[in-house]
Amino acid sequence: MDEGVRERKKRETRAQISEVATTLFFERGFDAVTVEDVARAAGVSKMTVFNYFLRKEDLLFDRESEGVELLRSVLANRGKKSALVALRDEVRRLVASESVFTTFDHSVLSFWKLVQGSPALRARTRELADEARDSLVPHLERPNADLVAGVIVAGWRAGYRAGLEAARQGRSAKKAAAELERVLDVTLVAARAAMRG
Amino acid sequence: MDEGVRERKKRETRAQISEVATTLFFERGFDAVTVEDVARAAGVSKMTVFNYFLRKEDLLFDRESEGVELLRSVLANRGKKSALVALRDEVRRLVASESVFTTFDHSVLSFWKLVQGSPALRARTRELADEARDSLVPHLERPNADLVAGVIVAGWRAGYRAGLEAARQGRSAKKAAAELERVLDVTLVAARAAMRG
DNA sequence: CAAGAAAAATAGACCCGGTCAAACTTAAAC
DNA sequence: GTTTAAGTTTGACCGGGTCTATTTTTCTTG
């Protein structure tokens, strides 16, 4: 028995809450929805919500940690490549596979707008960025590892912003993705420069 | 009449509150002190505290915006220098003038410890970093300005961490400051690389 | 100097995110 | 079917932060 009734219900409840919450957030904006609103709409108590999600922001960023997970796995299975090259190659692969195009479609633009509209959510993105940086440091060669990790994360954020901005201006998702790739290429150069010292 | 009783009292009250608050924070830790504690100790009401300081964190970071101010003035009066060189020169000047040494003395180490011990304060430092980045962008040459600003801020943060870490390990403030300067030099190289593309 | 305008401080109620303790419900294990 | 443990709920509580109405204080002007 891999999954009893208990486990199943937990998974369902969690998914239910997250889904309901996301819907409400898009309808009314993050700050205008209280946790109790979410709880009521999900047919559950406020405590239960906080039982599944540590912070209110996690209701939205639930699968955002997948990004950190991907980062980790790329660095873990990089063979003889340097961390920098492995990351660059992964980005190229993503852009080539076109799966990244959906990153800059309309739905993600409104997601971005939602995030930008809430101080708490913006703060959470910053926190996630710092976490990514810290988890990156051990995979980089010793001198200046902290700086290099910071540069990479700064580059990722800048690339993301550039892509979203391009998409916001009505350019195609493909062009937006290309913009992301370009900024990341520049970032790679900068990171290498930082690594040499 | 440049300053009536009204202005003077405002200034005094504000200083009083900030001072009392800082003392309490160092005594008991940021999260263990409530705003009402601060208000009571300052002989004032809670509302008055929030009247002078928008957020609780501002009670501690009151003069932290001086840094942003310095940044602004350096960039404004840089003559023909590039923004990057102007910033590098300012850092050199600070380190040479030894005024930066006090940045890594014991009192600032405990300040740092205080900040690191509180999620709210750490979040605020991240917010300040992003604000600094955004205020930097307009002063940089066009292509990749956003990325370059991000690199500079990442470098500044990394340098600061490096200096504090050196100080924490018992090295002299002078050596810690030299460490900061070294990281910033590397950052300059990386930023230049990012600028060229 | 007196009286009213303007600014600032106060008390108090209120909202929301988040935590805690204790009781209750439900599924698991025997 | 009874015990045991996990999960949920309720309700109280705390602290940051906002709002309103009231009072105190300073400034101004006649």
Side-chain angles (χ1 to χ4, degrees), chain A residues 90-111:
Chain A
E90 176 65 14
V91 170
R92 284 202 190 289
R93 199 184 64 73
L94 282 172
V95 173
S97 77
E98 304 202 1
S99 83
V100 146
F101 294 171
T102 63
T103 299
F104 297 110
D105 71 6
H106 180 266
S107 72
V108 176
L109 275 184
S110 49
F111 181 84

Side-chain angles (χ1 to χ4, degrees), chain A residues 21 37 45 61-62 64 76 82 91 98 131 136 168:
Chain A
D37 290 340
S45 84
F61 284 127
D62 198 15
E64 228 58 10
S82 77
V91 170
E98 304 202 1
E131 283 170 17
L136 205 51
R168 206 184 56 77

Side-chain angles (χ1 to χ4, degrees), chain A residues 6 10 45 47-48 51-52:
Chain A
R6 197 166 249 164
K10 268 181 82 169
S45 84
M47 268 305 299
T48 302
N51 190 16
Y52 283 103

Side-chain angles (χ1 to χ4, degrees), chain B residues 4 44 61 90 111 119 132-133 136 138 181:
Chain B
V44 108
F61 285 127
E90 176 65 14
F111 180 85
R133 184 199 63 202
L136 205 49
E181 192 176 354

